[in-house]
Amino acid sequence: MKRRMFLSGVLGAATASLFARASLAGESGDGMSGMPGMADMTHAPAPAPLAPLAAVDALAAGAPLANLRTLANESREAGVFRATLIAQPAAHALLADTPPTTFWQYDSGAANNDGPMIGPLIDVREGDRVEIRFVNRLAQPTTIHWHGLPVPPDQDGNPANPIAPGAMHVYRFTLPKGSAGTYWYHPHPHMQTAEQVFRGLAGPIVVRSADDPLADWPERHLFVSDLKLAADGTIAANSMMDWMNGREGQFVLVNGAREPRIGIVRDERWRVWNGCNARYLLLAFDDGRAFAQVGTDGGLLGAPREGLTSLLLAPGERVELIVRAGQGASSARLLAAQYDRRKMAMTHGSLPPTPMATLAQVAFAPQAAFAGKALPAQLRPIAPLVPSNVKKSVVFGEAMDMHAMHQPGASQRRMPQGMHFMINGESYDPARITLTSRRNEVEQWTIANQTDMDHPFHLHGTQFQVLARESGGNRIDETVLAWRDTVNVKPGESVHLATVQHEAGDRMFHCHILEHEDLGMMGTLRVT
Ligand code: C2O
Ligand code: CU
Ligand code: CU
C-alpha cells in the first residue's frame, strides 16, 4: 500500500518504530492506547507525559440549546452596521472541581455579555456597510478573517496584516448583492491560527437578502466546535498527533455546550457551522430520518435537495438544512456519524476513524400549524460560472521526517519538527506568491490530493462552484449547483472547480484543518 513519503532514510524501520511507540506513550487522549503493538514499550525512553484529559462525561450534557449572542449594531444609520469586537480571555466554569476554564473569545464589550464562548453572531444584510472596530486583548498577534465573504483583500485579516497585542484596528467592507449566506469569522495570524481557534476564537455571520424565499421559516443556529480539555480544567495544548492529523478533542460542542436539547414544534431552517479545527461532521439522525438541504457556504441552492439522510460537513464548511417536525411525537439524536478521513498513525498505516459523536438530542413535536409546509421548487437562480481556458493546479502534499519527529522533546515543542504539509511541493512562505490570477477572469482550478488523508480546500475572498470530482480515472460531474468556499478533497482525488476573484490583492488558499494550515499547507494567490 502506498502510504506517505517518509523523508528519513537514516533510521532503520525497527528503530523508527521503537521511537514512534516511545513518543506515542506520551500522547494521552488520542485513542492510541488500544492500538496493537502499544503494550511492549516499557524499556523505551519515556518523554514527559502530557496532562491527562478530562473524562468524556465530565461536561454536563442535555441543557436546552443556548441561543448565540448577537452582536449589537451601534449605528443608527440605515445600511450601516457598526460594532466592536474584542478578543480576550474569558473564564467559563465547566468542570465540577477545577478552577474555571479560560477560553479566548470574541466579545462585544457590552456589559451584559453572558452566553456561550462562541463569538457573537454578526447578523447583517446585503448592501450593508460593515465597520468592526477590533481590539486585541490577547498576548499574541491576531487578525479577524471573514471566512467566505467577498471583502477587500486588505480587510480580510491575512497573516500579513497582524494586529499586535493591545492594538486596535477597524475592518471595513460592504456586502454586495448576492452575498446572502452563512459565514464565520476567526483569527488568521501566521502559524497561530490553530491555537487561537481551539482556544475559542470563532463566531458566526449570517448575511440576509431582501428576497429570501425562506425568510418566514423559523431559523435555528448550530455552531459546532471542538474542545480538548485537560482534567485540571485547562484547554490542552496540541500533541504531536494533533499536529499531524489536526486536533480533535474529547468533546464536540454545539453553541458551546455538550449534547444540548432541541425541541422542534414546527418545520425549521437550520444553519450549521463546522468551526472545528479538524473534526469532520457526517451529519445524520440516529433513526435515519430524512432532512433537506437548502444551502451551502455561500447561501441558498438553486433548488432544495430533499430526502437526505446524511451530509458531510468538513472543517470550515457551513450548510442550511430543513428539519421537519414529526408526524407524531418522536425524538432522535443528531449525530456526527463515523467518517474515515484516513488519519495517519505515527508509523506506517492509519488510525481508526473518530468514533461517532452525539451533537444534540432533538425532540420532535407532532405536526403543528407550520409543519408540512412545502419548500419552493426553486430557491434562487444560480448562474453557472463558465471557466475561460485559464487553468490552475493546486496539489496537496505531505512528507514526514521520521528522524526529526522522533528527536527527544520533539512532541513537546510548540510546533513539531519534521512534519511537512505542502501545496505544490512547498510549505507556506509569506514572501512567496504561489499563484497569480487576473481580476474578473473565471478560471478552472484543479485541487489534487496526493496525500493519503482528507484535506478540506478553502479559498479566500470568493465563492466557487465545484464542476467535477475525479478519482482513479473516474470523473463524476457535480450535479448540485452551489456556491462554496470550502470543499473536501479525499486522498487520491482531484476536485475541479470554477472560480473568479473580483479585486486585486493577495488571497490565501489552504487546507482548513488548521494545524495543517499552520504547518504550511497554504499558499498565496496574487490577483492583479
Ligand atoms: Cu476559515 Cu483562511 O480560513
Ligand atoms: Cu477563509
Ligand atoms: Cu489538511
Side-chain angles (χ1 to χ4, degrees):
M1 177 172 36
K2 174 192 156 279
R3 291 297 299 170
R4 64 200 56 86
M5 183 186 358
F6 285 91
L7 291 178
S8 173
V10 296
L11 283 177
T15 325
S17 87
L18 173 74
F19 276 93
R21 286 178 197 154
S23 65
L24 281 170
E27 303 281 338
S28 58
D30 285 308
M32 297 298 300
S33 45
M35 292 282 290
M38 294 302 295
D40 56 346
M41 58 177 68
T42 41
H43 49 275
L50 296 174
L53 297 184
V56 292
D57 57 359
L59 277 189
L65 179 74
N67 283 325
L68 296 168
R69 299 173 287 159
T70 300
L71 189 62
N73 186 1
E74 294 161 10
S75 154
R76 291 205 194 94
E77 257 173 280
V80 178
F81 183 91
R82 191 177 294 121
T84 301
L85 278 177
I86 303 167
Q88 62 186 8
H92 293 263
L94 294 183
L95 299 181
D97 28 55
T98 70
T101 301
T102 301
F103 287 81
W104 298 348
Q105 73 180 30
Y106 290 114
D107 288 313
S108 65
N112 180 5
N113 206 19
D114 287 349
M117 64 289 263
I118 310 299
L121 169 69
I122 300 179
D123 199 331
V124 283
R125 314 191 71 84
E126 287 182 357
D128 279 356
R129 211 171 80 221
V130 179
E131 269 183 39
I132 308 250
R133 184 175 158 269
F134 172 60
V135 184
N136 179 9
R137 290 206 188 123
L138 306 172
Q140 300 181 350
T142 189
T143 76
I144 305 185
H145 168 56
W146 314 98
H147 179 126
L149 283 176
V151 313
D154 62 352
Q155 302 300 308
D156 207 12
N158 282 347
N161 309 116
I163 315 301
M168 198 272 285
H169 179 76
V170 182
Y171 289 98
R172 289 190 175 88
F173 47 89
T174 299
L175 297 166
K177 183 109 184 89
S179 63
T182 310
Y183 304 89
W184 60 305
Y185 57 100
H186 63 76
H188 221 301
H190 186 43
M191 298 203 301
Q192 290 171 308
T193 299
E195 180 184 17
Q196 293 189 8
V197 175
F198 79 61
R199 293 196 183 279
L201 290 168
I205 304 173
V206 172
V207 181
R208 301 183 188 278
S209 79
D211 49 10
D212 182 341
L214 304 180
D216 58 346
W217 288 61
E219 190 171 308
R220 196 181 287 276
H221 297 151
L222 288 81
F223 194 98
V224 183
S225 62
D226 191 279
L227 178 64
K228 185 174 175 183
L229 196 60
D232 64 2
T234 60
I235 295 178
N238 264 350
S239 71
M240 189 89 121
M241 297 303 288
D242 292 335
W243 281 110
M244 186 156 70
N245 288 314
R247 171 189 179 100
E248 290 179 31
Q250 75 273 50
F251 300 112
V252 52
L253 306 180
V254 180
N255 295 0
R258 180 176 154 238
E259 293 180 27
R261 266 187 301 114
I262 297 175
I264 294 189
V265 297
R266 306 200 298 172
D267 296 353
E268 294 186 351
R269 174 192 202 172
W270 286 14
R271 298 181 194 258
V272 187
W273 286 259
N274 187 343
C276 302
N277 276 30
R279 186 188 292 268
Y280 280 60
L281 304 174
L282 181 55
L283 301 173
F285 289 100
D286 67 340
D287 61 356
R289 77 177 59 211
F291 52 88
Q293 181 186 10
V294 290
T296 48
D297 306 324
L300 293 174
L301 297 171
R305 300 174 70 205
E306 294 273 10
L308 301 183
T309 51
S310 71
L311 190 139
L312 184 67
L313 206 58
E317 277 190 285
R318 292 85 64 208
V319 73
E320 288 183 64
L321 306 176
I322 295 293
V323 178
R324 299 200 179 266
Q327 298 292 335
S330 61
S331 64
R333 289 184 303 148
L334 175 69
L335 303 176
Q338 187 168 296
Y339 173 77
D340 190 358
R341 63 182 179 91
R342 307 283 294 152
K343 285 187 285 187
M344 288 185 265
M346 272 306 249
T347 54
H348 299 260
S350 13
L351 294 181
T354 308
M356 166 193 101
T358 298
L359 297 177
Q361 307 165 15
V362 190
F364 297 86
Q367 206 150 31
F370 198 87
K373 178 164 169 165
L375 285 167
Q378 300 301 316
L379 296 167
R380 66 160 167 174
I382 295 184
L385 284 178
V386 181
S388 66
N389 50 23
V390 179
K391 295 193 159 81
K392 294 264 147 56
S393 158
V394 173
V395 178
F396 285 146
E398 79 201 7
M400 297 299 137
D401 179 343
M402 297 300 279
H403 185 70
M405 276 164 68
H406 297 117
Q407 288 302 303
S411 66
Q412 270 76 52
R413 286 171 186 270
R414 235 204 96 252
M415 270 175 117
Q417 305 287 289
M419 293 182 196
H420 303 275
F421 288 92
M422 298 171 289
I423 284 183
N424 295 354
E426 295 176 303
S427 291
Y428 175 68
D429 174 349
R432 186 175 47 236
I433 303 304
T434 317
L435 297 172
T436 308
S437 294
R438 287 216 304 263
R439 286 173 61 206
N440 301 329
E441 189 161 67
V442 181
E443 300 183 343
Q444 182 174 326
W445 286 38
T446 298
I447 322 301
N449 181 354
Q450 294 182 356
T451 78
D452 43 28
M453 67 189 298
D454 288 41
H455 299 282
F457 169 81
H458 168 54
L459 171 60
H460 287 198
T462 194
Q463 295 286 319
F464 53 73
Q465 292 176 357
V466 173
L467 303 171
R469 292 179 167 83
E470 213 172 317
S471 192
N474 250 346
R475 185 186 163 108
I476 300 175
D477 287 325
E478 177 79 350
T479 52
V480 182
L481 193 53
W483 293 112
R484 302 174 188 277
D485 54 56
T486 307
V487 64
N488 189 46
V489 192
K490 292 183 190 171
E493 188 179 46
S494 290
V495 173
H496 303 285
L497 47 93
T499 181
V500 57
Q501 297 278 351
H502 297 293
E503 285 191 64
D506 289 351
R507 301 289 189 182
M508 318 311 298
F509 56 95
H510 57 88
C511 171
H512 219 285
I513 289 177
L514 297 178
E515 282 74 17
H516 294 173
E517 178 206 318
D518 279 350
L519 286 171
M521 202 175 247
M522 177 158 72
T524 303
L525 170 69
R526 175 154 293 171
V527 182
T528 59

